[in-house]
Amino acid sequence: MIEKPYKDEKLNNWTFVRTFKHNVLEEELVWHRDEKGRYIEVLEGSGWEVQFDNKLPKKLHKGDRFFIPAKTFHRIKAGSTDLKLRIEEFEET
């Protein structure tokens, strides 16, 4: 089994906290699509960025909230401290 570049802490059936270490290898932060839509809240982290397909990277700051629609290509880029995100998933209809 391939190890993921993050650790998840499940809060309930649709919400979890995801933590990325600041020293994660850049090649582990791959472009990907998620099956479900996600609301994201940045809880901690400095210097991290999120990038969507055909868009420039956008800096992430503590307190930022954004939405990633299901099946949208995106990736994150590592920063200088650990990144902690609160993620709420849901089925799009």
Side-chain angles (χ1 to χ4, degrees):
M1 186 164 107
I2 296 172
E3 189 171 327
K4 298 193 185 273
Y6 55 81
K7 299 285 187 216
D8 285 341
E9 176 189 348
K10 188 173 181 177
L11 302 179
N12 57 43
N13 287 337
W14 55 87
T15 307
F16 54 96
V17 173
R18 177 164 291 172
T19 303
F20 293 87
K21 294 291 187 184
H22 71 279
N23 58 352
V24 64
L25 298 175
E26 195 69 35
E27 57 266 18
E28 293 184 89
L29 302 175
V30 297
W31 287 97
H32 67 283
R33 298 188 283 191
D34 299 305
E35 289 300 313
K36 297 179 181 178
R38 294 179 167 187
Y39 285 102
I40 311 289
E41 179 183 2
V42 180
L43 302 176
E44 297 176 13
S46 179
W48 289 79
E49 297 177 323
V50 64
Q51 185 174 14
F52 293 93
D53 197 22
N54 295 316
K55 304 283 184 194
L56 293 173
K58 180 181 183 247
K59 292 275 188 200
L60 296 176
H61 302 93
K62 182 178 178 178
D64 283 355
R65 296 172 191 245
F66 57 97
F67 176 68
I68 301 175
K71 300 179 180 148
T72 300
F73 273 109
H74 64 284
R75 69 175 173 168
I76 59 170
K77 299 178 87 178
S80 56
T81 65
D82 292 354
L83 176 66
K84 190 176 283 193
L85 305 171
R86 182 179 182 277
I87 301 173
E88 184 177 347
E89 289 187 320
F90 69 98
E91 299 284 341
E92 293 184 62
T93 56

